[in-house]
């Protein structure tokens, strides 16, 4: 069984949105902030609701994301926006965040 098959629909949506966001912003990898923003915008998820209760401003998150490193234009090689970032190149920080999240979810 693939571990992703065990993820909730919300987590699958969050991962998809984070990868899509990183691709749209031409990031060289998925950063923890991409995951954070994807969780923040996931309607109906417990984590998203908690973040909204903390009064985190979406515009501030968007501004920070716009300042994340992007791929140099010479490396992208194409103007089409295809998903070149997949789950495997997640940074070790994202991997650690996901692992901790899964442990906490299992405990609760």
């Amino acid at each position: 069984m693939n571990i992703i098959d065990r993820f909730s629909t919300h987590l699958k949506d969050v991962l998809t949105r984070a990868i899509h966001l990183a691709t749209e912003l031409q990031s060289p990898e998925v950063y923890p902030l991409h995951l954070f923003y994807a969780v923040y915008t996931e309607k109906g998820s417990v984590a998203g609701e908690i973040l909204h209760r903390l009064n985190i401003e979406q515009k501030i998150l968007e501004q920070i994301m716009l300042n994340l490193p992007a791929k140099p234009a010479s490396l992208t090689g194409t103007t089409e926006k295809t998903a070149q970032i997949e789950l495997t190149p997640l940074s070790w920080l994202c991997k650690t965040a996901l692992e901790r999240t899964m442990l906490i979810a299992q405990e609760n």
Side-chain angles (χ1 to χ4, degrees):
M1 173 186 260
N2 186 342
I3 191 160
I4 294 176
D5 294 336
R6 298 179 64 198
F7 290 173
S8 69
T9 303
H10 285 299
L11 181 54
K12 289 177 187 176
D13 290 345
V14 163
L15 292 174
T16 301
R17 188 175 298 117
I19 291 168
H20 179 71
L21 183 59
T23 301
E24 288 290 314
L25 294 173
Q26 298 184 343
S27 294
E29 61 185 328
V30 178
Y31 292 111
L33 186 58
H34 295 128
L35 286 172
F36 186 83
Y37 185 81
V39 168
Y40 180 83
T41 58
E42 179 67 17
K43 300 287 186 220
S45 74
V46 174
E49 295 302 318
I50 290 169
L51 293 176
H52 282 281
R53 287 182 190 157
L54 294 173
N55 295 321
I56 297 170
E57 293 186 38
Q58 185 170 349
K59 290 184 183 204
I60 292 173
L61 292 175
E62 291 169 357
Q63 283 299 113
I64 294 169
M65 276 192 298
L66 291 174
N67 292 317
L68 289 173
K71 292 180 189 174
S74 61
L75 293 180
T76 57
T78 180
T79 56
E80 69 181 76
K81 294 180 179 178
T82 56
Q84 305 229 349
I85 298 176
E86 298 178 15
L87 187 58
T88 50
L90 284 173
S91 71
W92 68 271
L93 288 172
C94 286
K95 183 180 176 196
T96 301
L98 288 172
E99 288 170 350
R100 288 183 183 171
T101 300
M102 288 186 283
L103 287 173
I104 291 170
Q106 189 175 17
E107 290 173 2
N108 294 314

